[in-house]
Amino acid sequence: MLNNGFNIILCDTEADILIASECQPNDVVVTSDSDLLVYMSVPVVWRPVGRRKREFLVYERAAVLDVFNLMTESLVALAIVSRNDYNPRTPSDVVRVMVDRYLALPEVVRKKKKDEPNKWTADTFANAFKVFVLMQQDPVPTSMVLPREDLESTSVPTFEYLQSATAEFRIQLDRSKQDEYEARKLSRDQSGVKVQRHKSRQKFNRYRTIDSPPKAEVGDRSDAPLPRNRIPPHRPRYSVTHRIQSKPHEPPEVMMRYKWKPYKTAPTNPLCADIDPVQSKTKPKGKVKSPKMPKEITLETRKSDLVRAMGWEHPLVTLDVGTVSANLSRALGQDSDLIFEVNTCIKEIVRVAASIKRLGQSIIGRFIERVLASDPPTPEDREILGYLCQSVSTRIKAESASSSSDSNRPTATSADDEDEDDDEDEQTNDDPRRQKSEQLQFYLMLLSHLYSNNPVNDKSAIGKRVQKFVFRAAELGLLLRNDNRVAIRQRTAYPANTLLRSVAGQLVTETKKMYRNGSVELEEKLTNMKAKGLVSVGAHTQIDETIPAIENFWRLNKSSKSYRRMAPLTGMEQPFVSFSELDLIEFLWRKEKIKSHLQDLVLQDYHNQDFDPSLADLKEYLDQRPPGHLIARLLSNVGRDEVRKGPRGYKDSTCLMALDDLRRHIQTIRAPGFDPQTPPTYRIPLSATSVKTPRYVLRGSLKTDGFRLQLLAFKLSELNSVKYRRFPHDVLPNRLTSTVGGVDYFLTEVRNIVKTPQDVAALWGCAPDQIKILGLDLGQACVLGASALLPEKPPLEKIEKGPIAFHNLAVKQKAVYQPGFKHRRWMQEQKNVDPGTGAMSINDIETGLPPLRGENACFTDYIQRRELVKGQLDMFYNGDNRFKRHKWDARRAKEAEYRLITDRLLKLVGGSIGTRRDDSNKVVIGIGLGKFSSKIRLSSLHESFQSYFVQKVIKAFARW
């Protein structure tokens, strides 16, 4: 046995204890001894029977307890008095009490008197209690243990016999599992209940809501009212109601009635593409520079310039492709060691970047609180506050007012901070792009100092600003001052600038939204409060452009008594961090196993196999490959040119575009005679008969929180030149019948387009009564209220003219929120779990933290208290992926609700998700664009559903 690889363990006690301790929940113990069935760690015992011991009797512990109507403690006590094993997790005092009660039974007492007076006392079971309850046993004397050579010579079963018996046991186990599956399937088929799924091939989701099965009706079905003894028929969720009579409604309050307001200056031609409902509105003063046109595309254009040019021509979208581990398994196959290394590296860089971001936020928040405590701050402190966030100028106020007055009008934004052009000659000092770039460099250098603890490089202007902030924070006792330039610079685990660029950009966005935009919002609120006489005399009600935005926010927040949070702060759950392919190779190159895999990846395309590629060789290799090449080869199979295997998803609609194809694609769009109404398509031949027409092209960047993976891609079916109207007005597609300009360009008021029946005929080529109209009213209590007006049937199909049919659908917020409610309840239960080691539960810890907002809120106290419990909170939220999996399941279940609602609406007008609209099916969908605010704890779902619905409708109904 030893020579054939068996591991034989010689126990100095009985082997039952060792077997029970090693048994896992899904294991099966094969033994002729039934003592092991008492242990809670042993769920199933297989007892060999028969002449050759090739058949088994199955004993399930839970089934035994049910049959004999016993509790666990009763079984343990029975095992002790019957000289059997016991459950080690049962309290010993409970078992001892049960044994004492057994000895006090009249039958036992009479038996003792009849046989021996001293028989069956507590001492009789002392040894058994010690072994079965306390798990203690005297070891076997050494003289009784056989030597190794005697053990080998002892007549034991041969290796061939045990090998064949093990094979028979495995076959029997597989056969038993198959029989159980067939029995469950047969039982489900006989019941007649059809399994209802939201979509095909969907795995189990603990939070999805499934329709109850149809109930059997009693009696005959007729048009008469249902009697009391008949069960009403099953009505699927989100089903449309059909009525043949109009339902009168009470008119709303006067203040709620809609009053049509005509244009001050009516448009001359409703079919022109340049019609904009904000034409008559006052535009902000001052010259606003448009984004700089990218460079001309030539044969010498680099890969980075091509990616920037694609971002100019096509919008950037985020593709949620699933979990990191699942994508690694699909990309790397069966190499489990490499999958583990890459997965561990990604989780580590996300954890480090998030921790440094929280550290920077805590220092900045405490600095702001300490500096603003002395009102007004010193000029030096005001200068440092200006470094943290740009001031609020008149131009920024005008832009904020313009964007708030027309939230549906698209605005040009940059995709990533690192993609901005750093040409100093083209940017002025008051240009927001330059200020944002300088602010990004400030936060990046500050976070790099906190990560590496190396002295700040003060040779640049940004470095001097960071050094001034660090020295002032050190004076306030917020961090340690390190200006020893002679000491050797510490080497970090990962490059600081590469690791922290994404979180630095997040800090820029968070500070701008909180302080700059928040100051504008508070000023508008104070203006309304002042008009109502709710502002005290001497309070600050207007923005002072001579002081930093942070000080403005602090003053206005205090005057309005809004008590907003004083500084941005990331929660303990890991946020999403974005990285490019060049960033990833900087991290992965430092892992030896991944490094060797990357070197093999480079050597595959080189004839010389005798050299070891360096990091520079890998960067040069990627510079000659399509964007997203490393992601498709190492992290995910999305983008590969291969025939689909498995469920349909982004793999079918995403591709990698070669550098030459990128050049031709961009040059085609920028050609003088390009028609924007028909965007160029990109086709990839997969085989002689199949062709792939992708809708997305990978950019070469990703976002991840260590658990989920999101890929950034360009959307080929939309053009930014149409969205931002860079083409002449006579060639732009109609904004109502085309989706080339995107969703924001697609949604517009119908009165801007259609005014007369001739306009309908020009757009759709039919009469108005032949168009299906679906009206949607989005709200809070009811997420959706829909009503469809369907055209009458043609005369040949009509038998007689019947009453008008109404088709309505009302979706309540409570129904859509069911997955979220289930997840909240589960999360609250987990937070209330008592660790049992004297530590507080997560709910007690979070409720015991000082408030972050309010009249007496203190940011410093909150940070100091959270530092004491940071380890426990981090272990709860990020110790494993259990909570992230539950959160992701709840999110997918909510999307399943949206999918079901959308499918009901599309079927109402002759369509469905995943099916293209027929040319003869004319449909107009109207969506109410009214804005409202929510004051309850449940966030309104109308905006998220509108975004989901419009995207699905574009895929199903839109035509280029």
Side-chain angles (χ1 to χ4, degrees):
M1 295 290 295
L2 294 174
N3 297 332
N4 288 278
F6 275 82
N7 184 19
I8 298 179
I9 301 177
L10 300 179
C11 302
D12 54 358
T13 62
E14 293 188 32
D16 297 354
I17 298 177
L18 180 61
I19 295 175
S21 61
E22 294 290 338
C23 188
Q24 300 298 321
N26 295 326
D27 290 347
V28 173
V29 177
V30 181
T31 179
S32 299
D33 190 359
S34 61
D35 295 347
L36 284 168
L37 192 61
V38 183
Y39 287 90
M40 184 173 291
S41 59
V42 180
V44 180
V45 171
W46 283 29
R47 179 187 174 191
V49 295
R51 183 175 181 180
R52 300 185 59 188
K53 305 295 184 182
R54 297 297 177 89
E55 297 179 357
F56 303 94
L57 293 179
V58 179
Y59 297 92
E60 295 185 2
R61 186 175 181 277
V64 172
L65 293 176
D66 294 339
V67 170
F68 291 99
N69 195 16
L70 293 175
M71 297 185 301
T72 302
E73 293 81 3
S74 302
L75 181 62
V76 174
L78 180 62
I80 290 180
V81 298
S82 303
R83 298 182 183 181
N84 244 325
D85 291 343
Y86 107 102
N87 182 3
R89 296 182 61 182
T90 305
S92 59
D93 52 352
V94 176
V95 178
R96 187 180 297 276
V97 170
M98 289 186 175
V99 174
D100 294 339
R101 291 180 179 178
Y102 168 76
L103 295 175
L105 292 175
E107 294 82 358
V108 179
V109 173
R110 287 195 301 269
K111 187 68 175 179
K112 289 171 56 179
K113 293 180 180 180
K114 182 178 180 180
D115 296 341
E116 297 180 9
N118 298 327
K119 191 176 182 180
W120 296 333
T121 62
D123 297 336
T124 307
F125 305 102
N127 190 23
F129 189 88
K130 178 180 178 182
V131 174
F132 304 139
V133 178
L134 304 180
M135 297 298 295
Q136 298 176 1
Q137 188 176 14
D138 297 334
V140 180
T142 309
S143 59
M144 298 180 62
V145 179
L146 295 176
R148 185 180 184 89
E149 53 274 8
D150 295 342
L151 178 64
E152 296 178 356
S153 61
T154 305
S155 59
V156 295
T158 61
F159 170 73
E160 291 76 10
Y161 173 78
L162 291 179
Q163 187 180 30
S164 61
T166 304
E168 290 286 345
F169 169 70
R170 291 178 178 176
I171 294 174
Q172 187 74 12
L173 181 62
D174 295 339
R175 188 181 304 166
S176 175
K177 292 181 178 180
Q178 184 66 24
D179 293 342
E180 292 179 0
Y181 171 75
E182 294 294 339
R184 291 195 303 267
K185 184 178 179 181
L186 180 61
S187 176
R188 184 171 61 248
D189 296 340
Q190 291 178 352
S191 63
V193 178
K194 184 179 180 182
V195 179
Q196 301 181 15
R197 297 185 175 90
H198 289 293
K199 58 182 180 179
S200 60
R201 300 181 62 88
Q202 181 177 5
K203 295 183 179 180
F204 170 76
N205 190 334
R206 55 180 64 86
Y207 294 111
R208 64 175 179 165
T209 305
I210 305 177
D211 289 339
S212 58
K215 297 181 179 180
E217 298 184 6
V218 180
D220 297 332
R221 186 183 181 92
S222 63
D223 296 333
L226 294 177
R228 294 181 180 272
N229 60 350
R230 192 165 72 176
I231 301 176
H234 171 70
R235 183 171 178 262
R237 300 170 62 245
Y238 309 129
S239 57
V240 179
T241 59
H242 303 269
R243 295 182 292 106
I244 59 175
Q245 295 180 357
S246 61
K247 182 182 294 185
H249 296 277
E250 294 294 332
E253 300 292 338
V254 176
M255 58 181 296
M256 299 291 292
R257 294 179 183 176
Y258 173 76
K259 183 178 180 181
W260 184 77
K261 298 179 180 179
Y263 280 120
K264 295 180 180 179
T265 303
T268 57
N269 186 2
L271 298 183
C272 291
D274 59 341
I275 293 177
D276 201 330
V278 297
Q279 282 182 349
S280 60
K281 296 184 179 180
T282 305
K283 295 184 179 180
K285 298 180 180 180
K287 182 179 179 181
V288 181
K289 297 184 64 176
S290 59
K292 183 181 177 182
M293 179 71 179
K295 302 176 182 179
E296 183 181 358
I297 303 300
T298 62
L299 294 177
E300 290 76 18
T301 304
R302 299 179 304 173
K303 177 181 177 180
S304 57
D305 295 332
L306 290 175
V307 173
R308 185 177 291 108
M310 284 289 292
W312 173 269
E313 301 297 343
H314 295 285
L316 190 65
V317 295
T318 302
L319 309 180
D320 197 339
V321 296
T323 62
V324 176
S325 58
N327 281 273
L328 288 175
S329 300
R330 290 192 292 264
L332 300 177
Q334 303 297 327
D335 196 345
S336 58
D337 295 337
L338 182 60
I339 293 175
F340 176 78
E341 289 290 337
V342 177
N343 196 3
T344 304
C345 181
I346 292 177
K347 290 182 179 179
E348 185 177 357
I349 60 179
V350 172
R351 180 186 58 81
V352 174
S355 62
I356 298 300
K357 179 186 176 182
R358 296 190 190 97
L359 177 60
Q361 288 174 333
S362 63
I363 294 175
I364 293 172
R366 289 184 292 171
F367 177 84
I368 294 173
E369 193 174 58
R370 292 284 296 276
V371 167
L372 295 180
S374 57
D375 191 16
T378 62
E380 292 78 9
D381 291 339
R382 279 184 173 174
E383 184 180 2
I384 297 177
L385 292 177
Y387 300 155
L388 297 176
C389 183
Q390 56 182 334
S391 60
V392 185
S393 61
T394 306
R395 172 184 169 183
I396 295 175
K397 292 170 62 178
E399 290 178 353
S400 300
S402 176
S403 61
S404 62
S405 62
D406 184 19
S407 58
N408 293 327
R409 188 177 184 180
T411 55
T413 55
S414 177
D416 288 312
D417 298 332
E418 58 268 22
D419 289 343
E420 295 178 359
D421 198 339
D422 296 329
D423 193 351
E424 299 292 337
D425 298 334
E426 295 293 332
Q427 298 180 5
T428 59
N429 292 329
D430 59 345
D431 193 345
R433 289 181 294 159
R434 177 189 171 100
Q435 293 180 1
K436 185 177 181 181
S437 178
E438 291 180 353
Q439 192 179 1
L440 175 65
Q441 296 300 324
F442 174 85
Y443 279 110
L444 181 58
M445 191 172 294
L446 174 62
L447 295 180
S448 300
H449 169 70
L450 297 177
Y451 174 56
S452 62
N453 199 25
N454 290 325
V456 180
N457 185 10
D458 58 350
K459 294 182 180 180
S460 61
I462 304 296
K464 294 179 180 179
R465 296 179 183 180
V466 175
Q467 189 181 51
K468 184 180 293 186
F469 172 82
V470 171
F471 287 172
R472 179 59 176 148
E475 293 177 1
L476 298 176
L478 303 179
L479 51 82
L480 298 177
R481 177 173 175 176
N482 183 13
D483 53 355
N484 186 9
R485 303 185 178 278
V486 183
I488 300 177
R489 300 180 66 88
Q490 299 182 9
R491 178 179 174 85
T492 57
Y494 301 103
N497 290 342
T498 306
L499 177 66
L500 303 173
R501 185 183 294 112
S502 176
V503 293
Q506 294 176 8
L507 275 179
V508 173
T509 305
E510 291 171 359
T511 53
K512 182 188 71 173
K513 288 183 178 180
M514 173 169 284
Y515 299 118
R516 198 193 71 174
N517 299 354
S519 299
V520 177
E521 294 174 359
L522 290 176
E523 185 185 35
E524 295 177 357
K525 180 179 180 180
L526 285 170
T527 302
N528 298 331
M529 293 175 61
K530 187 176 181 181
K532 299 177 182 179
L534 301 178
V535 181
S536 59
V537 180
H540 297 276
T541 59
Q542 293 183 349
I543 295 176
D544 187 357
E545 299 182 9
T546 60
I547 62 177
I550 298 178
E551 188 175 356
N552 271 312
F553 175 81
W554 180 76
R555 290 182 175 182
L556 298 176
N557 189 29
K558 190 175 182 180
S559 300
S560 63
K561 296 183 180 181
S562 299
Y563 303 121
R564 297 189 180 186
R565 185 180 298 182
M566 282 304 302
L569 187 62
T570 304
M572 294 306 300
E573 190 174 355
Q574 304 292 16
F576 275 88
V577 186
S578 60
F579 301 105
S580 64
E581 287 184 317
L582 295 180
D583 298 338
L584 288 175
I585 61 176
E586 294 279 353
F587 309 139
L588 301 177
W589 191 261
R590 304 200 174 192
K591 307 295 182 180
E592 290 297 330
K593 186 172 183 60
I594 309 177
K595 176 182 177 180
S596 61
H597 182 78
L598 294 175
Q599 289 177 339
D600 296 339
L601 187 65
V602 176
L603 293 175
Q604 288 179 1
D605 297 336
Y606 282 86
H607 298 288
N608 186 9
Q609 304 287 332
D610 299 333
F611 78 103
D612 292 333
S614 62
L615 183 60
D617 296 330
L618 179 59
K619 292 182 179 179
E620 182 181 0
Y621 167 80
L622 290 179
D623 192 54
Q624 301 173 2
R625 297 298 180 274
H629 177 76
L630 180 66
I631 295 176
R633 297 292 296 272
L634 186 64
L635 300 180
S636 176
N637 66 339
V638 176
R640 295 182 180 180
D641 298 338
E642 56 186 16
V643 181
R644 177 178 63 88
K645 295 180 180 179
R648 186 178 300 276
Y650 288 121
K651 184 179 177 181
D652 288 340
S653 56
T654 310
C655 74
L656 304 179
M657 187 177 290
L659 300 183
D660 295 337
D661 295 335
L662 285 175
R663 292 188 181 93
R664 287 192 295 268
H665 181 81
I666 299 172
Q667 290 174 354
T668 302
I669 297 177
R670 297 181 180 178
F674 174 71
D675 184 9
Q677 299 189 16
T678 57
T681 58
Y682 183 62
R683 301 180 182 274
I684 302 175
L686 298 179
S687 62
T689 57
S690 61
V691 178
K692 181 178 180 180
T693 306
R695 300 178 65 247
Y696 305 100
V697 173
L698 292 184
R699 182 184 182 272
S701 303
L702 58 87
K703 294 180 181 179
T704 179
D705 62 346
F707 174 70
R708 289 167 53 195
L709 180 64
Q710 297 177 351
L711 304 182
L712 301 181
F714 299 110
K715 194 172 184 179
L716 298 181
S717 59
E718 297 180 6
L719 294 176
N720 287 336
S721 299
V722 176
K723 181 178 182 179
Y724 302 129
R725 299 159 195 158
R726 300 170 188 158
F727 289 104
H729 297 304
D730 56 345
V731 299
L732 283 174
N734 188 278
R735 62 184 310 179
L736 186 63
T737 59
S738 173
T739 59
V740 182
V743 177
D744 292 335
Y745 184 75
F746 181 74
L747 293 178
T748 182
E749 295 186 19
V750 68
R751 62 177 179 173
N752 299 337
I753 305 299
V754 179
K755 295 182 64 177
T756 62
Q758 291 75 15
D759 299 334
V760 178
L763 289 172
W764 292 284
C766 64
D769 57 355
Q770 297 300 320
I771 297 178
K772 300 176 182 178
I773 300 177
L774 177 62
L776 306 180
D777 184 19
L778 306 177
Q780 179 177 344
C782 284
V783 179
L784 169 70
S787 179
L789 299 179
L790 304 181
E792 297 181 2
K793 297 181 180 180
L796 295 179
E797 299 181 7
K798 289 198 305 181
I799 301 176
E800 59 180 358
K801 185 176 181 180
I804 301 176
F806 299 87
H807 308 274
N808 300 333
L809 174 63
V811 178
K812 294 186 178 180
Q813 185 188 40
K814 182 179 179 181
V816 186
Y817 248 122
Q818 288 305 315
F821 289 153
K822 292 181 181 179
H823 178 256
R824 286 188 179 188
R825 289 192 294 266
W826 179 86
M827 197 69 180
Q828 191 62 33
E829 292 175 359
Q830 298 301 315
K831 289 184 178 181
N832 291 330
V833 172
D834 187 5
T837 58
M840 299 174 60
S841 64
I842 299 299
N843 188 29
D844 296 338
I845 292 176
E846 293 180 342
T847 55
L849 293 176
L852 272 177
R853 59 176 63 188
E855 188 175 1
N856 299 323
C858 182
F859 189 85
T860 303
D861 294 344
Y862 180 88
I863 293 298
Q864 291 177 353
R865 183 66 180 274
R866 197 178 75 166
E867 286 295 323
L868 301 177
V869 295
K870 181 177 66 174
Q872 191 172 352
L873 291 176
D874 182 70
M875 181 60 65
F876 178 80
Y877 287 104
N878 307 312
D880 53 16
N881 293 330
R882 184 163 63 107
F883 296 98
K884 293 182 179 180
R885 291 184 184 276
H886 279 259
K887 184 177 180 180
W888 189 43
D889 286 346
R891 178 177 175 270
R892 291 190 297 116
K894 186 181 72 172
E895 291 182 356
E897 299 289 320
Y898 286 173
R899 181 184 179 89
L900 186 59
I901 299 172
T902 303
D903 192 62
R904 300 284 194 219
L905 294 174
L906 295 182
K907 286 183 177 179
L908 184 60
V909 291
S912 62
I913 296 179
T915 304
R916 284 290 183 181
R917 176 184 60 86
D918 188 71
D919 292 335
S920 60
N921 186 18
K922 308 297 182 180
V923 180
V924 173
I925 300 177
I927 303 177
L929 299 180
K931 300 295 181 180
F932 58 89
S933 59
S934 174
K935 295 184 179 180
I936 62 175
R937 297 184 62 184
L938 285 178
S939 59
S940 181
L941 301 175
H942 68 284
E943 291 187 354
S944 60
F945 175 75
Q946 173 183 320
S947 176
Y948 181 89
F949 178 77
V950 171
Q951 294 290 343
K952 294 297 182 182
V953 169
I954 287 177
K955 296 179 181 178
F957 280 177
R959 293 288 185 181
W960 292 341

